[in-house]
Amino acid sequence: MARPKVYNNFINGKWVKSHTGETFENINPADKTDVIGKFQKSDARDVDDAISAAAEAFKKWRLVPAPKRGEILYRVAQRLWKDKEQHSRDMTREMGKVLAETRGDVQEAIDMTFYMAGEGRRSFGQTTPSEMNNKFCMSVRQPLGVCGMITPWNFPMAIPSWKMTPALMMGNTVVIKPATDTPLSVYNLIKAMEDEGMPAGVVNMVTGSGGSVGSPLMHDKRVGCVSFTGSTEIGRKVSAACAPDFKHCHLEMGGKNCIIVMDDANIDLAVDGSLWGAFGTTGQRCTASSRIILHKKIYAKFARKFVARAKALKVGNGLNEKIQMGPAINEEQMNTVLEYMRIGKEEDGAKLLCGGGRLKGGKYNKGWFTQPTIFGDVTRKMRIFQEEIFGSVTDLIPARSYDHAIALANDCAYGLSAAIYTSNVNRAFAAMRDVYTGIFYVNAPTIGAETHMPFGGTKHTGNGHREACTQALDVFSEWKSVYVDFSNTIQRPQIDNQ
Ligand code: NAP
């Protein structure tokens, strides 16, 4: 077998080894004998080098006209498009999700990069009349400097692109720490930027663990903004690290998303959507449909159809086009999911309707495969109702009425995504208003965001910012209000004009 390729950090336009001289292995979760590559096990010294390079590059990059910055991004998007199939295969190998989904992940990076390239000729501010004579008012965005980015493994190229492209567009420079489980997709994104002429130091990648790379990155005083996507537990640490220097801090964290199915819904459509929402990406999406709240009148019918479909899902190596659900990302995550299956079986009143364990035997022994698992009769006090599992487990929760369903939907620490299936337009609009989340769907599952819409959540999912769309620009820039007085006199607003 060929020896795995060694990948380096990208600092100041060069591919360099880490100070430790050590590497870690990137393993295929569907086949742990498949070592995809070796990546640098970096530490604070590498982070320091990368931040120094980014701080130096910022002096010039911020002055490059925005349409020119956009042109580079435009070419990057085209290159990603050209290499989409290879990047998708790399991603399925390192992350495990099926090819159709990794193609979607790369496509999302392409869409976002094109979108932000376009911002080169927009990034609009305001011009507005002054309250004084012969005076002009406008607002402009200004960059923040070096932006640190810490990203998760479940959307290995899409999420890094959501952060990097708006930051670059605004004239910032970037140091990114990819998830340890999926550095190859970030390497592919950075390589496309290098190949399309991104100046040295403008983007930098340092691989390694959260503690050795993420932590020094978020604590460094030269970093003007930290953008983090991952668990609420680590997000809280990021928030605390940013607080002393009042750094811009952007957090996208966990979810416990619900689909409400009303008694007037198209049940087959709701089953289709719930299957995709719950078991797409093996349930490892922040937006996964992990609570399905069913009106009592359709509970039994929905449960019967849904369980039959979940049992029929084809689980395996995502490189096989026939496979519908891949493995858990790693052994630790698989064990967390198995632990929640155990907890669910012991919850007083919950019923295991299908799955409930690890898939074993033959090809399954090579990877971290879990069964599509559904618990019925779940109630709000249960841990499987309240806690994010991030795996192939979902709950069916009976509701007495619309009001009861809404109360259940909101009874949760997180607020990322929610959905309602109903044919009653009044109920659909009421639910849009009544469920407190950042994203809401009608007659579609909780997953499936588009890049030109704001993305993010309320409560313990986020800290008020939004990713994607033009809202992403707010994370990576600060407004400056500019007043130009051409009256040649001293004019005092609120005083001289009263
Ligand atoms: P995680 O454990 O919080 O890790 C996220 C990132 O933080 C990784 O790069 C990780 O590095 C790094 N990290 C870990 N410990 C750190 C520390 N002490 N200091 C600085 N950085 C640290 O989350 P995950 O398991 O990768 O992802 C799953 C979670 O992400 C779920 O909760 C999911 O809901 C959430 N998520 C949210 C969104 C959203 O948009 N709301 C999207 C996707 C995922 P290592 O990889 O080296 O550990």
Side-chain angles (χ1 to χ4, degrees):
M1 206 189 247
R3 287 169 69 163
K5 180 174 168 182
V6 177
Y7 294 86
N8 290 340
N9 287 330
F10 190 62
I11 298 177
N12 206 16
K14 297 200 171 58
W15 295 97
V16 292
K17 301 215 173 301
S18 63
H19 284 271
T20 67
E22 295 173 40
T23 55
F24 65 89
E25 289 181 338
N26 183 8
I27 307 281
N28 181 343
D31 177 359
K32 56 197 173 195
T33 63
D34 177 20
V35 180
I36 297 152
K38 292 186 172 190
F39 287 80
Q40 300 301 310
K41 202 184 225 180
S42 313
D43 67 15
R45 293 168 292 175
D46 306 295
V47 175
D48 184 57
D49 291 348
I51 295 173
S52 299
E56 191 56 34
F58 175 64
K59 293 176 190 165
K60 286 190 182 156
W61 180 246
R62 76 184 183 90
L63 300 176
V64 173
K68 292 285 166 205
R69 295 198 290 257
E71 280 171 23
I72 299 178
L73 289 182
Y74 188 79
R75 292 200 304 272
V76 171
Q78 285 178 310
R79 179 171 285 262
L80 293 174
W81 204 344
K82 185 169 91 30
D83 296 333
K84 177 174 167 181
E85 190 57 22
Q86 185 56 47
H87 292 338
S88 308
R89 289 180 174 275
D90 284 350
M91 193 186 293
T92 293
R93 241 180 111 198
E94 72 170 350
M95 192 273 160
K97 61 186 174 185
V98 300
L99 266 177
E101 292 189 43
T102 52
R103 289 182 188 125
D105 192 306
V106 177
Q107 186 59 47
E108 207 166 302
I110 294 166
D111 295 343
M112 185 61 80
T113 309
F114 273 130
Y115 184 93
M116 288 300 162
E119 284 306 305
R121 291 189 184 270
R122 287 190 295 266
S123 306
F124 301 127
Q126 293 130 341
T127 58
T128 178
S130 166
E131 64 186 62
M132 315 301 288
N133 282 332
N134 297 322
K135 198 172 172 189
F136 183 85
C137 301
M138 63 184 158
S139 61
V140 292
R141 292 180 184 274
Q142 56 190 336
L144 305 171
V146 179
C147 295
M149 291 162 190
I150 303 174
T151 52
W153 43 261
N154 64 338
F155 278 83
M157 188 182 280
I159 290 178
S161 78
W162 291 3
K163 299 185 187 307
M164 291 176 75
T165 59
L168 293 168
M169 196 56 253
M170 286 290 94
N172 303 282
T173 53
V174 167
V175 178
I176 185 165
K177 183 214 109 54
T180 297
D181 284 305
T182 53
L184 180 57
S185 296
V186 179
Y187 165 88
N188 285 336
L189 178 59
I190 297 268
K191 186 79 182 71
M193 291 186 175
E194 181 197 24
D195 290 345
E196 292 305 336
M198 196 65 81
V202 171
V203 293
N204 304 271
M205 176 187 80
V206 183
T207 56
S209 74
S212 321
V213 177
S215 183
L217 179 59
M218 69 201 193
H219 282 98
D220 196 291
K221 286 189 183 305
R222 294 168 294 171
V223 171
C225 168
V226 178
S227 179
F228 167 86
T229 299
S231 61
T232 299
E233 181 197 347
I234 303 295
R236 196 168 276 121
K237 291 186 184 177
V238 178
S239 181
C242 291
D245 293 314
F246 309 106
K247 281 187 188 116
H248 269 218
C249 174
H250 163 231
L251 306 172
E252 295 292 342
M253 301 172 286
K256 188 75 183 175
N257 316 286
C258 72
I259 292 178
I260 296 170
V261 186
M262 293 305 299
D263 49 342
D264 53 26
N266 174 337
I267 298 297
D268 289 329
L269 183 68
V271 167
D272 274 345
S274 301
L275 197 75
W276 170 227
F279 301 114
T281 322
T282 319
Q284 300 173 123
R285 288 194 187 213
C286 49
T287 50
S289 311
S290 50
R291 296 182 300 153
I292 301 172
I293 298 169
L294 300 166
H295 192 281
K296 63 180 182 188
K297 285 191 190 154
I298 50 87
Y299 184 95
K301 186 175 176 192
F302 179 98
R304 189 171 23 83
K305 290 184 177 221
F306 185 52
V307 169
R309 293 282 301 280
K311 281 183 176 168
L313 281 172
K314 293 189 185 69
V315 183
N317 189 327
L319 288 171
N320 176 340
E321 301 268 7
K322 293 198 179 113
I323 291 298
Q324 294 167 298
M325 190 180 102
I329 183 70
N330 56 35
E331 187 173 18
E332 192 187 347
Q333 185 62 26
M334 179 189 70
N335 287 336
T336 301
V337 174
L338 294 176
E339 176 61 10
Y340 272 106
M341 290 174 178
R342 188 193 64 74
I343 291 167
K345 288 177 203 166
E346 288 180 3
E347 302 261 29
D348 192 16
K351 285 196 192 98
L352 178 66
L353 301 180
C354 68
R358 186 175 176 180
L359 280 159
K360 288 191 193 140
K363 61 186 180 189
Y364 292 130
N365 289 346
K366 286 180 148 190
W368 317 120
F369 294 98
T370 56
Q371 292 175 312
T373 296
I374 302 170
F375 286 101
D377 292 344
V378 172
T379 55
R380 50 179 287 277
K381 290 223 167 106
M382 294 180 186
R383 284 184 64 189
I384 55 170
F385 178 103
Q386 294 289 350
E387 297 173 21
E388 184 182 44
I389 299 174
F390 222 56
S392 62
V393 182
T394 194
D395 303 335
L396 304 188
I397 302 143
R400 294 184 298 278
S401 60
Y402 168 81
D403 287 340
H404 186 209
I406 296 293
L408 288 166
N410 284 327
D411 186 0
C412 170
Y414 302 104
L416 183 51
S417 183
I420 189 165
Y421 280 83
T422 179
S423 55
N424 180 326
V425 72
N426 296 352
R427 273 202 182 129
F429 271 86
M432 270 182 244
R433 179 196 61 201
D434 295 340
V435 178
Y436 182 45
T437 53
I439 304 169
F440 194 79
Y441 295 88
V442 176
N443 292 329
T446 54
I447 67 177
E450 300 180 27
T451 52
H452 54 291
M453 292 283 285
F455 183 95
T458 61
K459 302 195 269 187
H460 285 196
T461 297
N463 64 341
H465 293 289
R466 289 293 180 267
E467 213 146 38
C469 195
T470 50
Q471 278 74 7
L473 304 179
D474 292 332
V475 171
F476 299 108
S477 65
E478 231 156 353
W479 285 106
K480 183 183 276 174
S481 297
V482 180
Y483 300 89
V484 182
D485 192 322
F486 53 99
S487 68
N488 229 10
T489 57
I490 172 88
Q491 299 199 87
R492 298 175 302 172
Q494 297 97 34
I495 297 172
D496 293 336
N497 54 349
Q498 290 309 305

PDB file of all heavy atoms in Angstrom, residues 250-272:
ATOM      1  N   HIS A 250     -17.818  35.224  16.944  1.00  0.00           N
ATOM      2  CA  HIS A 250     -18.970  34.700  16.214  1.00  0.00           C
ATOM      3  C   HIS A 250     -19.077  33.205  16.504  1.00  0.00           C
ATOM      4  O   HIS A 250     -18.143  32.453  16.227  1.00  0.00           O
ATOM      5  CB  HIS A 250     -18.763  34.971  14.709  1.00  0.00           C
ATOM      6  CG  HIS A 250     -19.644  34.150  13.835  1.00  0.00           C
ATOM      7  ND1 HIS A 250     -19.162  33.419  12.778  1.00  0.00           N
ATOM      8  CD2 HIS A 250     -20.962  33.924  13.874  1.00  0.00           C
ATOM      9  CE1 HIS A 250     -20.176  32.785  12.196  1.00  0.00           C
ATOM     10  NE2 HIS A 250     -21.262  33.077  12.849  1.00  0.00           N
ATOM     11  N   LEU A 251     -20.200  32.800  17.066  1.00  0.00           N
ATOM     12  CA  LEU A 251     -20.355  31.407  17.500  1.00  0.00           C
ATOM     13  C   LEU A 251     -21.555  30.752  16.832  1.00  0.00           C
ATOM     14  O   LEU A 251     -22.671  31.294  16.873  1.00  0.00           O
ATOM     15  CB  LEU A 251     -20.556  31.356  19.020  1.00  0.00           C
ATOM     16  CG  LEU A 251     -19.505  32.066  19.883  1.00  0.00           C
ATOM     17  CD1 LEU A 251     -19.949  32.106  21.341  1.00  0.00           C
ATOM     18  CD2 LEU A 251     -18.151  31.378  19.767  1.00  0.00           C
ATOM     19  N   GLU A 252     -21.319  29.606  16.217  1.00  0.00           N
ATOM     20  CA  GLU A 252     -22.400  28.756  15.679  1.00  0.00           C
ATOM     21  C   GLU A 252     -22.283  27.421  16.386  1.00  0.00           C
ATOM     22  O   GLU A 252     -21.286  26.724  16.217  1.00  0.00           O
ATOM     23  CB  GLU A 252     -22.241  28.546  14.173  1.00  0.00           C
ATOM     24  CG  GLU A 252     -22.385  29.783  13.322  1.00  0.00           C
ATOM     25  CD  GLU A 252     -23.780  30.352  13.310  1.00  0.00           C
ATOM     26  OE1 GLU A 252     -24.734  29.629  13.675  1.00  0.00           O
ATOM     27  OE2 GLU A 252     -23.921  31.534  12.966  1.00  0.00           O
ATOM     28  N   MET A 253     -23.284  27.060  17.182  1.00  0.00           N
ATOM     29  CA  MET A 253     -23.079  25.883  18.053  1.00  0.00           C
ATOM     30  C   MET A 253     -24.191  24.833  17.885  1.00  0.00           C
ATOM     31  O   MET A 253     -24.750  24.706  16.822  1.00  0.00           O
ATOM     32  CB  MET A 253     -22.952  26.387  19.488  1.00  0.00           C
ATOM     33  CG  MET A 253     -21.783  27.363  19.617  1.00  0.00           C
ATOM     34  SD  MET A 253     -21.686  28.178  21.208  1.00  0.00           S
ATOM     35  CE  MET A 253     -23.054  29.344  21.082  1.00  0.00           C
ATOM     36  N   GLY A 254     -24.469  24.117  18.938  1.00  0.00           N
ATOM     37  CA  GLY A 254     -25.299  22.923  18.843  1.00  0.00           C
ATOM     38  C   GLY A 254     -26.758  23.174  18.517  1.00  0.00           C
ATOM     39  O   GLY A 254     -27.233  24.308  18.507  1.00  0.00           O
ATOM     40  N   GLY A 255     -27.483  22.079  18.284  1.00  0.00           N
ATOM     41  CA  GLY A 255     -28.908  22.181  17.976  1.00  0.00           C
ATOM     42  C   GLY A 255     -29.666  20.956  18.466  1.00  0.00           C
ATOM     43  O   GLY A 255     -29.068  19.908  18.741  1.00  0.00           O
ATOM     44  N   LYS A 256     -30.976  21.115  18.632  1.00  0.00           N
ATOM     45  CA  LYS A 256     -31.859  19.980  18.938  1.00  0.00           C
ATOM     46  C   LYS A 256     -33.162  20.320  18.223  1.00  0.00           C
ATOM     47  O   LYS A 256     -34.134  20.788  18.829  1.00  0.00           O
ATOM     48  CB  LYS A 256     -32.050  19.862  20.453  1.00  0.00           C
ATOM     49  CG  LYS A 256     -32.777  18.605  20.874  1.00  0.00           C
ATOM     50  CD  LYS A 256     -31.918  17.362  20.795  1.00  0.00           C
ATOM     51  CE  LYS A 256     -32.689  16.114  21.142  1.00  0.00           C
ATOM     52  NZ  LYS A 256     -31.902  14.883  20.952  1.00  0.00           N
ATOM     53  N   ASN A 257     -33.126  20.128  16.928  1.00  0.00           N
ATOM     54  CA  ASN A 257     -34.140  20.713  16.045  1.00  0.00           C
ATOM     55  C   ASN A 257     -35.373  19.829  15.940  1.00  0.00           C
ATOM     56  O   ASN A 257     -35.282  18.606  16.035  1.00  0.00           O
ATOM     57  CB  ASN A 257     -33.505  20.907  14.665  1.00  0.00           C
ATOM     58  CG  ASN A 257     -32.126  21.495  14.824  1.00  0.00           C
ATOM     59  OD1 ASN A 257     -31.975  22.667  15.118  1.00  0.00           O
ATOM     60  ND2 ASN A 257     -31.086  20.662  14.691  1.00  0.00           N
ATOM     61  N   CYS A 258     -36.508  20.466  15.713  1.00  0.00           N
ATOM     62  CA  CYS A 258     -37.723  19.650  15.682  1.00  0.00           C
ATOM     63  C   CYS A 258     -38.528  19.880  14.404  1.00  0.00           C
ATOM     64  O   CYS A 258     -38.525  20.969  13.825  1.00  0.00           O
ATOM     65  CB  CYS A 258     -38.586  19.958  16.888  1.00  0.00           C
ATOM     66  SG  CYS A 258     -39.358  21.541  16.786  1.00  0.00           S
ATOM     67  N   ILE A 259     -39.206  18.814  14.020  1.00  0.00           N
ATOM     68  CA  ILE A 259     -40.230  18.891  12.978  1.00  0.00           C
ATOM     69  C   ILE A 259     -41.571  18.685  13.679  1.00  0.00           C
ATOM     70  O   ILE A 259     -41.720  17.734  14.459  1.00  0.00           O
ATOM     71  CB  ILE A 259     -40.036  17.780  11.926  1.00  0.00           C
ATOM     72  CG1 ILE A 259     -38.751  18.015  11.120  1.00  0.00           C
ATOM     73  CG2 ILE A 259     -41.244  17.686  11.008  1.00  0.00           C
ATOM     74  CD1 ILE A 259     -38.474  16.918  10.092  1.00  0.00           C
ATOM     75  N   ILE A 260     -42.537  19.562  13.404  1.00  0.00           N
ATOM     76  CA  ILE A 260     -43.902  19.360  13.906  1.00  0.00           C
ATOM     77  C   ILE A 260     -44.728  18.811  12.735  1.00  0.00           C
ATOM     78  O   ILE A 260     -44.694  19.386  11.632  1.00  0.00           O
ATOM     79  CB  ILE A 260     -44.513  20.699  14.374  1.00  0.00           C
ATOM     80  CG1 ILE A 260     -43.714  21.262  15.566  1.00  0.00           C
ATOM     81  CG2 ILE A 260     -45.988  20.530  14.726  1.00  0.00           C
ATOM     82  CD1 ILE A 260     -44.111  22.694  15.938  1.00  0.00           C
ATOM     83  N   VAL A 261     -45.416  17.718  12.966  1.00  0.00           N
ATOM     84  CA  VAL A 261     -46.314  17.186  11.917  1.00  0.00           C
ATOM     85  C   VAL A 261     -47.745  17.291  12.444  1.00  0.00           C
ATOM     86  O   VAL A 261     -48.103  16.630  13.426  1.00  0.00           O
ATOM     87  CB  VAL A 261     -45.967  15.727  11.549  1.00  0.00           C
ATOM     88  CG1 VAL A 261     -46.819  15.276  10.362  1.00  0.00           C
ATOM     89  CG2 VAL A 261     -44.480  15.573  11.225  1.00  0.00           C
ATOM     90  N   MET A 262     -48.537  18.130  11.782  1.00  0.00           N
ATOM     91  CA  MET A 262     -49.920  18.339  12.230  1.00  0.00           C
ATOM     92  C   MET A 262     -50.849  17.283  11.614  1.00  0.00           C
ATOM     93  O   MET A 262     -50.487  16.600  10.654  1.00  0.00           O
ATOM     94  CB  MET A 262     -50.393  19.745  11.858  1.00  0.00           C
ATOM     95  CG  MET A 262     -49.655  20.859  12.610  1.00  0.00           C
ATOM     96  SD  MET A 262     -49.727  20.691  14.415  1.00  0.00           S
ATOM     97  CE  MET A 262     -51.490  20.773  14.711  1.00  0.00           C
ATOM     98  N   ASP A 263     -52.072  17.210  12.145  1.00  0.00           N
ATOM     99  CA  ASP A 263     -53.015  16.183  11.686  1.00  0.00           C
ATOM    100  C   ASP A 263     -53.491  16.434  10.255  1.00  0.00           C
ATOM    101  O   ASP A 263     -54.027  15.536   9.620  1.00  0.00           O
ATOM    102  CB  ASP A 263     -54.205  16.069  12.647  1.00  0.00           C
ATOM    103  CG  ASP A 263     -54.833  17.414  12.977  1.00  0.00           C
ATOM    104  OD1 ASP A 263     -54.168  18.445  12.752  1.00  0.00           O
ATOM    105  OD2 ASP A 263     -55.978  17.438  13.458  1.00  0.00           O
ATOM    106  N   ASP A 264     -53.281  17.677   9.741  1.00  0.00           N
ATOM    107  CA  ASP A 264     -53.709  17.962   8.369  1.00  0.00           C
ATOM    108  C   ASP A 264     -52.544  17.871   7.371  1.00  0.00           C
ATOM    109  O   ASP A 264     -52.665  18.291   6.227  1.00  0.00           O
ATOM    110  CB  ASP A 264     -54.334  19.371   8.300  1.00  0.00           C
ATOM    111  CG  ASP A 264     -53.410  20.432   8.879  1.00  0.00           C
ATOM    112  OD1 ASP A 264     -52.176  20.213   8.867  1.00  0.00           O
ATOM    113  OD2 ASP A 264     -53.910  21.463   9.341  1.00  0.00           O
ATOM    114  N   ALA A 265     -51.402  17.343   7.817  1.00  0.00           N
ATOM    115  CA  ALA A 265     -50.212  17.306   6.939  1.00  0.00           C
ATOM    116  C   ALA A 265     -50.311  16.194   5.902  1.00  0.00           C
ATOM    117  O   ALA A 265     -51.041  15.212   6.095  1.00  0.00           O
ATOM    118  CB  ALA A 265     -48.967  17.087   7.789  1.00  0.00           C
ATOM    119  N   ASN A 266     -49.552  16.347   4.832  1.00  0.00           N
ATOM    120  CA  ASN A 266     -49.340  15.249   3.880  1.00  0.00           C
ATOM    121  C   ASN A 266     -48.348  14.297   4.551  1.00  0.00           C
ATOM    122  O   ASN A 266     -47.156  14.589   4.653  1.00  0.00           O
ATOM    123  CB  ASN A 266     -48.776  15.834   2.581  1.00  0.00           C
ATOM    124  CG  ASN A 266     -48.396  14.765   1.581  1.00  0.00           C
ATOM    125  OD1 ASN A 266     -48.148  13.618   1.935  1.00  0.00           O
ATOM    126  ND2 ASN A 266     -48.341  15.159   0.316  1.00  0.00           N
ATOM    127  N   ILE A 267     -48.838  13.169   5.026  1.00  0.00           N
ATOM    128  CA  ILE A 267     -48.020  12.289   5.876  1.00  0.00           C
ATOM    129  C   ILE A 267     -46.831  11.703   5.106  1.00  0.00           C
ATOM    130  O   ILE A 267     -45.718  11.634   5.624  1.00  0.00           O
ATOM    131  CB  ILE A 267     -48.872  11.138   6.477  1.00  0.00           C
ATOM    132  CG1 ILE A 267     -49.963  11.723   7.370  1.00  0.00           C
ATOM    133  CG2 ILE A 267     -48.012  10.166   7.283  1.00  0.00           C
ATOM    134  CD1 ILE A 267     -49.482  12.483   8.571  1.00  0.00           C
ATOM    135  N   ASP A 268     -47.056  11.308   3.856  1.00  0.00           N
ATOM    136  CA  ASP A 268     -45.938  10.718   3.110  1.00  0.00           C
ATOM    137  C   ASP A 268     -44.826  11.740   2.897  1.00  0.00           C
ATOM    138  O   ASP A 268     -43.640  11.414   2.997  1.00  0.00           O
ATOM    139  CB  ASP A 268     -46.430  10.166   1.764  1.00  0.00           C
ATOM    140  CG  ASP A 268     -47.269   8.908   1.971  1.00  0.00           C
ATOM    141  OD1 ASP A 268     -46.987   8.171   2.941  1.00  0.00           O
ATOM    142  OD2 ASP A 268     -48.214   8.690   1.203  1.00  0.00           O
ATOM    143  N   LEU A 269     -45.220  12.979   2.637  1.00  0.00           N
ATOM    144  CA  LEU A 269     -44.218  14.041   2.474  1.00  0.00           C
ATOM    145  C   LEU A 269     -43.468  14.264   3.792  1.00  0.00           C
ATOM    146  O   LEU A 269     -42.234  14.412   3.819  1.00  0.00           O
ATOM    147  CB  LEU A 269     -44.917  15.345   2.051  1.00  0.00           C
ATOM    148  CG  LEU A 269     -44.019  16.536   1.769  1.00  0.00           C
ATOM    149  CD1 LEU A 269     -43.178  16.289   0.517  1.00  0.00           C
ATOM    150  CD2 LEU A 269     -44.856  17.807   1.600  1.00  0.00           C
ATOM    151  N   ALA A 270     -44.194  14.240   4.892  1.00  0.00           N
ATOM    152  CA  ALA A 270     -43.569  14.444   6.203  1.00  0.00           C
ATOM    153  C   ALA A 270     -42.625  13.291   6.547  1.00  0.00           C
ATOM    154  O   ALA A 270     -41.561  13.507   7.149  1.00  0.00           O
ATOM    155  CB  ALA A 270     -44.646  14.587   7.274  1.00  0.00           C
ATOM    156  N   VAL A 271     -42.989  12.079   6.146  1.00  0.00           N
ATOM    157  CA  VAL A 271     -42.100  10.930   6.393  1.00  0.00           C
ATOM    158  C   VAL A 271     -40.821  11.084   5.567  1.00  0.00           C
ATOM    159  O   VAL A 271     -39.713  10.918   6.068  1.00  0.00           O
ATOM    160  CB  VAL A 271     -42.828   9.596   6.075  1.00  0.00           C
ATOM    161  CG1 VAL A 271     -41.842   8.435   6.019  1.00  0.00           C
ATOM    162  CG2 VAL A 271     -43.911   9.325   7.101  1.00  0.00           C
ATOM    163  N   ASP A 272     -40.983  11.441   4.304  1.00  0.00           N
ATOM    164  CA  ASP A 272     -39.807  11.669   3.437  1.00  0.00           C
ATOM    165  C   ASP A 272     -38.878  12.702   4.075  1.00  0.00           C
ATOM    166  O   ASP A 272     -37.663  12.509   4.168  1.00  0.00           O
ATOM    167  CB  ASP A 272     -40.243  12.258   2.083  1.00  0.00           C
ATOM    168  CG  ASP A 272     -40.627  11.187   1.088  1.00  0.00           C
ATOM    169  OD1 ASP A 272     -40.303  10.017   1.333  1.00  0.00           O
ATOM    170  OD2 ASP A 272     -41.270  11.543   0.075  1.00  0.00           O
TER     171      ASP A 272
END
